Amino acid sequence: IQLVDAAKSYYGLDLSSKDLLIHASHAIRNHCHAEGTDRELLLSDIIASIVKRKVEISSLSLLPHYTGLPLESWLPVLAKETFIHEFWPAQKLLGEAGVFGGHSAVVQLPTSAGKTKSAELIIRSSFLAGRASTAVIIAPFRSLCREISESLSVAFSDEDVLINQLNDVPQIDNFDIDLFFQLFEQPEGISVSPTIIVSTPEKLVYLLRHKPELADEISLVIYDEGHQFDTGARGVTYELLLTTLKQELRPETQHVLI
């Protein structure tokens, strides 16, 4: 009972229960080693190992380590049901490579490895650290842009974060005008909310040519479906557009190619 209560408290963001959780698992193990049957000894070892592993890979343990940000800044996000409570192996590798701390990277992830959650973590880390107020996710297909926007809308629900899914039509429409207003025309004294732009590469290049100052607002770019570089003419276009974007954006912009 003590172990279960401590686990509930720990994942309920009661940080003081971490030591109690580990102590409870050790107490069970020590008791079974001293007085238990062979089966109880085995089960107690498994319980202690699982508890130790769960604590090691928990977001409470790893977020401050990988992002360099105090845990207090993550607590409001950790309280959300949609946020991850544990790091998957792929997300641990990203953390070890410094991607959550602002380093650029080329990332290869298999299907169902947590790509969307990894992108969310990269964006959140950048916003919370103050490295970026405008992040861009680029996907080569309109349908994929829509899917990414829907996932991010759920992840950032009830937060002061604007998500703009841009049309891929090569012209300035009402969505683009709203974006420019958010970034450049807010009345003095009103802070601009963190903004996530989801766009095809063609549309973003078009906007940068129409509004070059947009490049100064972008501090993080995530390129999705990078393997599309190998898909004939479409892949060549995507790669050339990426090269164009890197030339137009600031040198310190973080680039993550997935």
Side-chain angles (χ1 to χ4, degrees), residues 212-246:
E213 55 267 40
L214 178 61
D216 295 328
E217 299 295 323
I218 299 172
S219 301
L220 167 64
V221 184
I222 299 175
Y223 306 89
D224 199 8
E225 299 291 313
H227 58 278
Q228 293 294 333
F229 289 173
D230 289 333
T231 57
R234 177 71 185 184
V236 172
T237 301
Y238 191 12
E239 188 170 3
L240 289 174
L241 289 169
L242 183 150
T243 303
T244 301
L245 288 174
K246 288 201 67 175

Side-chain angles (χ1 to χ4, degrees), residues 1-43:
I1 293 175
Q2 187 182 48
L3 178 68
V4 173
D5 289 343
K8 288 181 179 179
S9 297
Y10 182 67
Y11 283 100
L13 307 184
D14 179 5
L15 305 183
S16 63
S17 61
K18 175 181 177 180
D19 292 338
L20 180 61
L21 175 60
I22 296 175
H23 174 75
S25 69
H26 286 172
I28 293 172
R29 182 175 183 271
N30 292 337
H31 173 76
C32 291
H33 272 251
E35 303 181 21
T37 64
D38 292 348
R39 183 174 185 273
E40 289 170 339
L41 188 151
L42 173 62
L43 292 175

Side-chain angles (χ1 to χ4, degrees), residues 104-119:
S104 296
V106 176
V107 182
Q108 183 177 359
L109 293 175
T111 302
S112 300
K115 181 175 67 174
T116 303
K117 284 300 179 183
S118 297

Side-chain angles (χ1 to χ4, degrees), residues 121-162:
L121 277 174
I122 295 170
I123 294 170
R124 286 190 182 278
S125 301
S126 189
F127 285 168
L128 288 174
R131 292 190 301 270
S133 59
T134 302
V136 175
I137 296 184
I138 296 177
F141 308 114
R142 176 66 178 162
S143 58
L144 186 55
C145 286
R146 184 166 54 253
E147 180 182 326
I148 293 171
S149 296
E150 291 172 354
S151 297
L152 291 176
S153 296
V154 173
F156 287 90
S157 62
D158 301 322
E159 297 184 50
D160 185 26
V161 175
L162 302 175

Side-chain angles (χ1 to χ4, degrees), residues 98-100 102-104 122 126 131 219-221 252-256:
V99 177
F100 300 138
H103 291 181
S104 296
I122 295 170
S126 189
R131 292 190 301 270
S219 301
L220 167 64
V221 184
E252 62 270 25
T253 297
Q254 180 184 9
H255 297 267
V256 180

